Amino acid sequence: MKNILLIPLILFILNGNSQTTAIPDPAFEQALINLGWDSLPIDGQVLTSNINNITVLDVSSSFINDLTGIEDFTDLGILRFTNNQISNLDLSQNDSLYRIMGGNNQLTCLNLKNGKNINLNLIWLLNNPNLTCIDVDDSLYSQNNWNNTVFFKFD
């Protein structure tokens, strides 16, 4: 009887320690595999424990369309995603960010409203000709303080 009760307990403990983050874009998951933070096969998920302590992520030139899952990179300070096909990006859960480099994408909307915009010291978004929406914590603060840190190109 003790063995029968022990098996479900072990399975519960193992399952509780293996939370995953959904990574629906196969190209994003492949980039994480290439960086050693995930493993084959591409299955649309990564162990959250493999990504939540990453401080620098560079997935440039990886043919990525969607960075869904980025919200679980809780310690992320530097994000570089240049030369991809990303159109919308929500970084509202990434409150450790201080550098964002996302030039040469298809961005139309970027959500930076994370309560810590004061920490951002570089935002490079050149060559995103359709970028018309950037959500921030305080637009007046951003206009007054990001003159030398933000690089946009609006057509």
Side-chain angles (χ1 to χ4, degrees), residues 58-132:
D58 186 348
V59 291
S60 297
S61 302
S62 298
F63 306 101
I64 297 171
N65 293 311
D66 183 1
L67 282 177
T68 296
I70 198 73
E71 63 277 1
D72 284 348
F73 288 70
T74 54
D75 288 343
L76 191 60
I78 299 173
L79 173 60
R80 186 170 182 205
F81 59 98
T82 58
N83 300 316
N84 282 294
Q85 296 296 313
I86 298 163
S87 60
N88 291 300
L89 183 56
D90 185 349
L91 298 173
S92 63
Q93 300 302 308
N94 302 93
D95 60 7
S96 296
L97 280 172
Y98 61 93
R99 289 193 177 169
I100 301 166
M101 293 153 280
N104 300 316
N105 274 281
Q106 300 299 315
L107 285 174
T108 59
C109 191
L110 174 64
N111 186 349
L112 296 177
K113 201 169 191 173
N114 63 14
K116 302 277 180 101
N117 286 174
I118 194 167
N119 296 330
L120 289 168
N121 62 35
L122 176 67
I123 304 169
W124 187 79
L125 299 170
L126 290 175
N127 297 322
N128 281 285
N130 299 318
L131 181 60
T132 58

Coordinates of all heavy atoms in Angstrom, one line a residue, residues 58-132:
D58 N 20.3 37.1 -27.3 CA 20.5 37.6 -28.7 C 20.0 36.6 -29.6 O 20.6 35.5 -29.8 CB 22.0 37.9 -28.9 CG 22.2 38.5 -30.3 OD1 21.3 38.6 -31.1 OD2 23.4 39.0 -30.5
V59 N 18.9 36.9 -30.3 CA 18.2 36.0 -31.2 C 18.2 36.7 -32.6 O 17.2 36.4 -33.4 CB 16.9 35.5 -30.8 CG1 17.0 34.5 -29.6 CG2 15.9 36.6 -30.4
S60 N 19.1 37.5 -32.9 CA 19.2 38.2 -34.1 C 19.3 37.3 -35.3 O 19.9 36.2 -35.2 CB 20.3 39.2 -34.1 OG 20.1 40.2 -33.1
S61 N 18.8 37.7 -36.4 CA 18.9 37.0 -37.7 C 18.5 35.5 -37.6 O 19.2 34.6 -38.1 CB 20.3 37.1 -38.2 OG 20.7 38.4 -38.4
S62 N 17.4 35.3 -36.9 CA 16.9 33.9 -36.6 C 15.6 33.5 -37.3 O 15.0 32.5 -37.0 CB 16.8 33.7 -35.1 OG 18.0 33.8 -34.5
F63 N 15.1 34.4 -38.2 CA 13.9 34.2 -38.9 C 12.6 34.1 -38.0 O 11.7 33.4 -38.3 CB 14.0 33.0 -39.8 CG 15.1 33.0 -40.7 CD1 16.3 32.3 -40.4 CD2 15.1 33.8 -41.9 CE1 17.4 32.3 -41.3 CE2 16.2 33.8 -42.7 CZ 17.3 33.1 -42.4
I64 N 12.7 34.8 -36.9 CA 11.6 34.8 -35.9 C 10.5 35.7 -36.2 O 10.7 36.9 -36.6 CB 12.2 35.1 -34.5 CG1 13.2 34.0 -34.1 CG2 11.1 35.2 -33.4 CD1 14.0 34.4 -32.8
N65 N 9.2 35.2 -36.1 CA 8.0 36.0 -36.3 C 7.4 36.4 -35.0 O 6.6 37.4 -34.9 CB 7.0 35.3 -37.1 CG 7.5 35.0 -38.5 OD1 7.9 36.0 -39.2 ND2 7.4 33.8 -39.0
D66 N 7.6 35.7 -33.9 CA 6.9 35.8 -32.7 C 7.8 35.5 -31.5 O 8.3 34.4 -31.4 CB 5.6 34.9 -32.7 CG 4.7 35.0 -31.5 OD1 5.0 35.8 -30.6 OD2 3.7 34.2 -31.5
L67 N 7.9 36.4 -30.5 CA 8.7 36.2 -29.3 C 7.8 35.8 -28.1 O 8.2 36.1 -27.0 CB 9.5 37.4 -29.0 CG 10.8 37.6 -29.8 CD1 11.5 38.9 -29.5 CD2 11.7 36.4 -29.7
T68 N 6.6 35.3 -28.4 CA 5.8 34.8 -27.3 C 6.6 33.8 -26.4 O 7.3 32.9 -27.0 CB 4.5 34.1 -27.8 OG1 3.7 35.1 -28.5 CG2 3.7 33.5 -26.6
G69 N 6.5 34.0 -25.1 CA 7.4 33.3 -24.2 C 8.4 34.1 -23.5 O 8.9 33.8 -22.5
I70 N 8.7 35.3 -24.2 CA 9.7 36.2 -23.6 C 9.4 36.7 -22.2 O 10.2 37.1 -21.5 CB 10.0 37.4 -24.6 CG1 11.3 38.1 -24.4 CG2 8.8 38.4 -24.6 CD1 12.5 37.3 -24.8
E71 N 8.1 36.7 -21.9 CA 7.6 37.2 -20.6 C 8.2 36.3 -19.4 O 8.3 36.8 -18.3 CB 6.1 37.2 -20.5 CG 5.4 35.9 -20.6 CD 5.2 35.4 -22.1 OE1 5.6 36.1 -23.0 OE2 4.6 34.3 -22.2
D72 N 8.6 35.1 -19.7 CA 9.2 34.3 -18.6 C 10.7 34.4 -18.5 O 11.3 33.7 -17.6 CB 8.8 32.8 -18.8 CG 7.3 32.5 -18.4 OD1 6.7 33.4 -17.8 OD2 6.8 31.5 -18.8
F73 N 11.3 35.2 -19.3 CA 12.7 35.5 -19.1 C 12.8 36.7 -18.1 O 13.1 37.8 -18.4 CB 13.3 36.0 -20.5 CG 13.5 34.9 -21.5 CD1 12.4 34.4 -22.1 CD2 14.8 34.5 -21.9 CE1 12.6 33.4 -23.1 CE2 14.9 33.6 -22.8 CZ 13.8 33.0 -23.4
T74 N 12.6 36.3 -16.8 CA 12.3 37.3 -15.8 C 13.6 38.1 -15.4 O 13.4 39.2 -14.9 CB 11.8 36.6 -14.5 OG1 12.6 35.6 -14.1 CG2 10.4 36.1 -14.8
D75 N 14.8 37.6 -15.7 CA 16.0 38.4 -15.3 C 16.6 39.1 -16.5 O 17.7 39.6 -16.5 CB 17.0 37.5 -14.7 CG 16.7 37.0 -13.3 OD1 15.8 37.7 -12.7 OD2 17.2 36.1 -12.8
L76 N 15.9 39.1 -17.7 CA 16.4 39.6 -18.9 C 16.7 41.1 -18.8 O 15.9 41.9 -18.6 CB 15.4 39.3 -20.0 CG 15.9 39.6 -21.5 CD1 17.1 38.7 -21.8 CD2 14.8 39.3 -22.4
G77 N 18.0 41.5 -19.0 CA 18.4 42.9 -19.0 C 18.7 43.4 -20.4 O 18.4 44.6 -20.7
I78 N 19.2 42.6 -21.3 CA 19.5 43.0 -22.6 C 18.8 42.0 -23.6 O 19.0 40.8 -23.5 CB 21.1 42.9 -22.9 CG1 21.8 43.9 -21.9 CG2 21.4 43.3 -24.3 CD1 23.3 43.8 -22.0
L79 N 18.1 42.6 -24.5 CA 17.4 41.8 -25.5 C 17.8 42.3 -26.9 O 17.6 43.5 -27.2 CB 15.8 41.9 -25.4 CG 15.0 41.3 -26.5 CD1 15.3 39.8 -26.6 CD2 13.5 41.5 -26.2
R80 N 18.3 41.5 -27.7 CA 18.6 41.8 -29.1 C 17.9 40.8 -30.0 O 18.1 39.6 -29.9 CB 20.2 41.7 -29.3 CG 20.6 42.2 -30.7 CD 22.1 42.3 -30.8 NE 22.4 42.9 -32.1 CZ 23.5 42.7 -32.7 NH1 24.5 42.0 -32.1 NH2 23.7 43.1 -33.9
F81 N 17.1 41.4 -30.9 CA 16.3 40.6 -31.8 C 16.3 41.2 -33.2 O 15.3 41.2 -34.0 CB 14.9 40.4 -31.3 CG 14.1 41.7 -31.1 CD1 13.2 42.1 -32.0 CD2 14.2 42.4 -29.9 CE1 12.4 43.3 -31.8 CE2 13.5 43.5 -29.7 CZ 12.6 44.0 -30.6
T82 N 17.4 41.9 -33.6 CA 17.5 42.5 -34.9 C 17.4 41.5 -36.1 O 17.7 40.3 -35.9 CB 18.8 43.3 -35.0 OG1 19.9 42.4 -34.9 CG2 18.9 44.4 -34.0
N83 N 17.0 42.0 -37.2 CA 16.9 41.3 -38.4 C 16.0 40.0 -38.3 O 16.4 38.9 -38.7 CB 18.3 40.8 -38.9 CG 19.2 42.0 -39.1 OD1 18.8 43.0 -39.8 ND2 20.4 42.0 -38.6
N84 N 14.8 40.2 -37.9 CA 13.8 39.2 -37.9 C 12.5 39.7 -38.5 O 12.6 40.7 -39.3 CB 13.5 38.7 -36.4 CG 14.6 37.8 -35.9 OD1 14.8 36.7 -36.4 ND2 15.4 38.3 -34.9
Q85 N 11.4 39.1 -38.3 CA 10.1 39.5 -38.9 C 9.1 39.7 -37.8 O 7.9 39.5 -38.0 CB 9.6 38.4 -39.8 CG 10.5 38.2 -41.0 CD 10.6 39.4 -41.9 OE1 9.6 40.0 -42.2 NE2 11.8 39.8 -42.3
I86 N 9.5 40.2 -36.7 CA 8.6 40.4 -35.5 C 7.8 41.7 -35.7 O 8.3 42.7 -36.1 CB 9.4 40.5 -34.2 CG1 10.2 39.2 -34.0 CG2 8.5 40.8 -33.0 CD1 11.3 39.3 -33.0
S87 N 6.4 41.5 -35.6 CA 5.5 42.7 -35.8 C 5.0 43.3 -34.5 O 4.8 44.5 -34.4 CB 4.4 42.3 -36.7 OG 3.6 41.3 -36.2
N88 N 4.7 42.5 -33.5 CA 4.2 42.9 -32.2 C 5.0 42.3 -31.1 O 5.3 41.1 -31.2 CB 2.7 42.6 -32.0 CG 1.8 43.3 -33.0 OD1 1.8 44.6 -32.9 ND2 1.1 42.6 -33.8
L89 N 5.3 43.1 -30.1 CA 6.1 42.6 -29.0 C 5.7 43.2 -27.7 O 5.6 44.4 -27.5 CB 7.6 42.9 -29.2 CG 8.6 42.4 -28.2 CD1 8.5 40.9 -28.1 CD2 10.0 42.8 -28.7
D90 N 5.4 42.3 -26.7 CA 5.0 42.7 -25.4 C 6.1 42.4 -24.4 O 6.3 41.3 -24.1 CB 3.7 42.0 -25.0 CG 3.1 42.4 -23.7 OD1 3.8 43.2 -22.9 OD2 2.0 42.0 -23.4
L91 N 6.7 43.5 -23.9 CA 7.8 43.3 -22.9 C 7.3 43.9 -21.6 O 8.2 44.2 -20.7 CB 9.0 44.1 -23.4 CG 9.6 43.6 -24.7 CD1 10.8 44.5 -25.2 CD2 10.1 42.1 -24.5
S92 N 6.0 43.9 -21.4 CA 5.5 44.5 -20.1 C 5.8 43.7 -18.9 O 5.7 44.2 -17.8 CB 4.0 44.7 -20.3 OG 3.3 43.5 -20.4
Q93 N 6.2 42.4 -19.1 CA 6.5 41.6 -17.9 C 8.0 41.5 -17.7 O 8.5 40.9 -16.7 CB 6.0 40.1 -18.2 CG 4.5 40.1 -18.3 CD 3.7 40.6 -17.1 OE1 4.0 40.2 -16.0 NE2 2.8 41.5 -17.4
N94 N 8.8 42.1 -18.5 CA 10.2 42.1 -18.4 C 10.8 43.4 -17.8 O 11.3 44.3 -18.4 CB 10.9 41.9 -19.8 CG 10.3 40.6 -20.5 OD1 9.4 40.7 -21.2 ND2 11.0 39.5 -20.2
D95 N 10.7 43.4 -16.5 CA 11.0 44.7 -15.8 C 12.5 44.8 -15.4 O 12.9 45.8 -14.8 CB 10.1 44.9 -14.5 CG 10.2 43.7 -13.5 OD1 11.1 42.9 -13.7 OD2 9.5 43.8 -12.5
S96 N 13.3 43.9 -15.8 CA 14.8 44.0 -15.7 C 15.4 44.6 -16.9 O 16.7 44.8 -16.9 CB 15.4 42.6 -15.3 OG 14.9 42.1 -14.1
L97 N 14.7 44.8 -18.0 CA 15.3 45.3 -19.2 C 15.9 46.6 -19.1 O 15.3 47.5 -18.5 CB 14.2 45.4 -20.3 CG 13.9 44.1 -21.0 CD1 12.7 44.3 -21.9 CD2 15.0 43.5 -21.8
Y98 N 17.1 46.8 -19.6 CA 17.7 48.1 -19.7 C 18.3 48.4 -21.1 O 18.6 49.5 -21.4 CB 18.8 48.3 -18.6 CG 20.0 47.4 -18.7 CD1 21.1 47.7 -19.4 CD2 19.9 46.2 -18.0 CE1 22.2 46.9 -19.4 CE2 21.0 45.3 -18.0 CZ 22.2 45.7 -18.7 OH 23.2 44.8 -18.7
R99 N 18.3 47.4 -22.0 CA 18.7 47.6 -23.4 C 17.9 46.7 -24.3 O 17.7 45.5 -24.0 CB 20.2 47.2 -23.6 CG 21.1 48.2 -23.0 CD 22.5 48.0 -23.5 NE 23.3 49.1 -22.9 CZ 24.6 49.1 -22.9 NH1 25.3 48.2 -23.5 NH2 25.3 50.1 -22.4
I100 N 17.4 47.4 -25.3 CA 16.5 46.7 -26.3 C 17.1 47.1 -27.7 O 17.1 48.2 -28.0 CB 15.1 47.1 -26.2 CG1 14.5 46.8 -24.8 CG2 14.2 46.4 -27.3 CD1 13.2 47.4 -24.5
M101 N 17.4 46.1 -28.5 CA 17.9 46.3 -29.8 C 17.1 45.4 -30.8 O 17.2 44.2 -30.8 CB 19.4 46.0 -29.9 CG 20.3 46.9 -29.1 SD 21.8 46.2 -28.6 CE 21.3 45.3 -27.1
G102 N 16.2 46.1 -31.5 CA 15.3 45.4 -32.4 C 15.1 46.0 -33.7 O 14.0 46.0 -34.3
G103 N 16.2 46.5 -34.3 CA 16.1 47.1 -35.6 C 15.9 46.1 -36.7 O 16.1 44.9 -36.5
N104 N 15.4 46.5 -37.8 CA 15.2 45.7 -39.0 C 14.2 44.6 -38.7 O 14.5 43.4 -39.0 CB 16.5 45.1 -39.5 CG 17.5 46.2 -39.9 OD1 17.1 47.2 -40.5 ND2 18.7 46.1 -39.5
N105 N 13.0 44.9 -38.2 CA 11.9 44.0 -38.0 C 10.7 44.6 -38.8 O 10.8 45.5 -39.6 CB 11.7 43.8 -36.5 CG 12.5 42.7 -36.0 OD1 12.3 41.5 -36.1 ND2 13.6 43.1 -35.3
Q106 N 9.6 44.1 -38.4 CA 8.3 44.6 -39.0 C 7.4 45.1 -37.8 O 6.2 45.0 -37.9 CB 7.6 43.4 -39.7 CG 8.4 42.8 -40.8 CD 8.7 43.9 -41.9 OE1 7.8 44.6 -42.3 NE2 9.9 43.9 -42.4
L107 N 8.0 45.6 -36.8 CA 7.3 46.1 -35.6 C 6.2 47.1 -36.0 O 6.5 48.1 -36.8 CB 8.2 46.7 -34.6 CG 9.0 45.7 -33.7 CD1 10.0 46.5 -32.9 CD2 8.1 44.8 -32.9
T108 N 5.0 46.9 -35.5 CA 4.0 47.9 -35.6 C 3.6 48.4 -34.2 O 3.3 49.6 -34.0 CB 2.7 47.3 -36.2 OG1 2.2 46.2 -35.4 CG2 3.0 46.9 -37.6
C109 N 3.8 47.6 -33.2 CA 3.5 47.9 -31.8 C 4.4 47.3 -30.8 O 4.8 46.1 -31.0 CB 2.0 47.5 -31.4 SG 1.4 48.2 -29.9
L110 N 4.9 48.0 -29.8 CA 5.8 47.6 -28.8 C 5.3 48.0 -27.5 O 5.1 49.2 -27.3 CB 7.2 48.1 -29.1 CG 8.3 47.9 -28.0 CD1 8.6 46.4 -27.9 CD2 9.6 48.6 -28.4
N111 N 5.1 47.1 -26.6 CA 4.7 47.4 -25.2 C 5.8 47.4 -24.2 O 6.4 46.3 -24.0 CB 3.6 46.4 -24.8 CG 2.9 46.8 -23.4 OD1 3.5 47.7 -22.7 ND2 1.9 46.2 -23.1
L112 N 6.3 48.5 -23.8 CA 7.3 48.6 -22.8 C 6.8 49.0 -21.4 O 7.6 49.4 -20.5 CB 8.4 49.7 -23.3 CG 9.1 49.4 -24.5 CD1 10.0 50.6 -24.9 CD2 9.9 48.1 -24.4
K113 N 5.5 49.0 -21.2 CA 4.9 49.5 -20.0 C 5.1 48.4 -18.9 O 4.2 47.6 -18.6 CB 3.4 49.7 -20.3 CG 2.8 50.6 -19.3 CD 1.4 51.0 -19.8 CE 0.9 52.1 -18.9 NZ -0.4 52.7 -19.5
N114 N 6.3 48.5 -18.3 CA 6.6 47.5 -17.3 C 6.9 48.0 -15.9 O 7.4 47.3 -15.0 CB 7.8 46.6 -17.7 CG 9.1 47.5 -17.9 OD1 9.2 48.6 -17.5 ND2 10.1 46.9 -18.6
G115 N 6.7 49.3 -15.7 CA 6.9 50.0 -14.4 C 8.3 50.3 -14.1 O 8.7 50.9 -13.1
K116 N 9.2 50.0 -15.1 CA 10.7 50.3 -14.8 C 11.3 51.0 -16.0 O 12.5 50.8 -16.3 CB 11.4 48.9 -14.6 CG 10.9 48.1 -13.4 CD 11.5 48.6 -12.1 CE 10.9 47.8 -10.9 NZ 11.8 46.8 -10.4
N117 N 10.6 51.7 -16.8 CA 11.1 52.4 -18.0 C 12.3 53.3 -17.6 O 13.2 53.6 -18.4 CB 10.1 53.3 -18.7 CG 9.1 52.4 -19.5 OD1 8.2 52.9 -20.0 ND2 9.3 51.1 -19.6
I118 N 12.4 53.8 -16.4 CA 13.5 54.6 -15.9 C 14.8 53.9 -16.1 O 15.9 54.6 -16.2 CB 13.2 55.1 -14.5 CG1 14.2 56.3 -14.1 CG2 13.3 54.0 -13.5 CD1 13.8 57.0 -12.9
N119 N 14.8 52.6 -16.1 CA 16.1 51.8 -16.2 C 16.5 51.6 -17.6 O 17.7 51.2 -17.9 CB 15.9 50.4 -15.6 CG 15.6 50.5 -14.1 OD1 16.1 51.5 -13.4 ND2 14.9 49.6 -13.5
L120 N 15.7 51.9 -18.6 CA 16.0 51.7 -20.0 C 17.1 52.8 -20.4 O 16.8 54.0 -20.3 CB 14.8 51.8 -20.9 CG 13.9 50.6 -20.8 CD1 12.5 51.0 -21.5 CD2 14.5 49.4 -21.4
N121 N 18.2 52.3 -20.9 CA 19.3 53.3 -21.3 C 19.6 53.1 -22.8 O 20.4 53.9 -23.3 CB 20.5 53.2 -20.5 CG 21.2 51.9 -20.5 OD1 21.2 51.2 -21.5 ND2 21.7 51.5 -19.4
L122 N 19.0 52.2 -23.5 CA 19.2 52.0 -24.9 C 18.0 51.3 -25.5 O 17.7 50.2 -25.1 CB 20.5 51.2 -25.3 CG 20.7 51.0 -26.8 CD1 21.0 52.3 -27.5 CD2 21.9 50.0 -27.0
I123 N 17.4 52.0 -26.5 CA 16.3 51.4 -27.3 C 16.6 51.6 -28.7 O 16.6 52.8 -29.2 CB 15.0 52.0 -26.9 CG1 14.7 51.8 -25.4 CG2 13.9 51.3 -27.7 CD1 13.5 52.6 -24.9
W124 N 17.0 50.6 -29.5 CA 17.4 50.8 -30.9 C 16.4 50.0 -31.7 O 16.3 48.8 -31.7 CB 18.8 50.2 -31.1 CG 19.4 50.5 -32.5 CD1 19.9 51.6 -32.9 CD2 19.4 49.5 -33.5 NE1 20.3 51.5 -34.2 CE2 20.0 50.2 -34.6 CE3 19.0 48.2 -33.7 CZ2 20.2 49.6 -35.9 CZ3 19.2 47.6 -34.9 CH2 19.8 48.3 -36.0
L125 N 15.6 50.8 -32.5 CA 14.5 50.2 -33.3 C 14.5 50.8 -34.7 O 13.5 50.8 -35.3 CB 13.2 50.5 -32.6 CG 13.0 50.0 -31.2 CD1 11.7 50.6 -30.5 CD2 12.9 48.5 -31.2
L126 N 15.7 51.1 -35.2 CA 15.7 51.6 -36.6 C 15.2 50.6 -37.6 O 15.3 49.4 -37.4 CB 17.2 52.0 -37.0 CG 17.7 53.2 -36.3 CD1 19.2 53.4 -36.6 CD2 17.0 54.5 -36.6
N127 N 14.7 51.1 -38.7 CA 14.2 50.3 -39.8 C 13.0 49.4 -39.4 O 13.0 48.2 -39.7 CB 15.3 49.5 -40.4 CG 16.3 50.4 -41.0 OD1 16.0 51.4 -41.6 ND2 17.6 50.0 -40.9
N128 N 12.1 50.0 -38.7 CA 10.8 49.4 -38.4 C 9.8 50.4 -38.9 O 9.2 51.1 -38.1 CB 10.6 49.2 -36.9 CG 11.3 47.9 -36.4 OD1 10.8 46.8 -36.6 ND2 12.4 48.1 -35.7
P129 N 9.6 50.5 -40.2 CA 8.8 51.6 -40.8 C 7.4 51.6 -40.4 O 6.7 52.7 -40.6 CB 9.0 51.3 -42.3 CG 9.4 49.9 -42.5 CD 10.1 49.5 -41.2
N130 N 6.8 50.5 -39.9 CA 5.4 50.5 -39.5 C 5.2 50.7 -38.0 O 4.1 50.6 -37.6 CB 4.7 49.2 -40.0 CG 4.8 49.1 -41.5 OD1 4.6 50.0 -42.2 ND2 5.2 47.9 -42.0
L131 N 6.2 51.0 -37.3 CA 6.1 51.2 -35.9 C 5.4 52.5 -35.5 O 6.0 53.6 -35.7 CB 7.5 51.1 -35.2 CG 7.6 51.3 -33.7 CD1 6.8 50.1 -33.0 CD2 9.0 51.3 -33.2
T132 N 4.2 52.3 -35.0 CA 3.4 53.5 -34.7 C 2.9 53.6 -33.3 O 2.4 54.5 -32.8 CB 2.2 53.6 -35.6 OG1 1.4 52.4 -35.4 CG2 2.5 53.8 -37.1

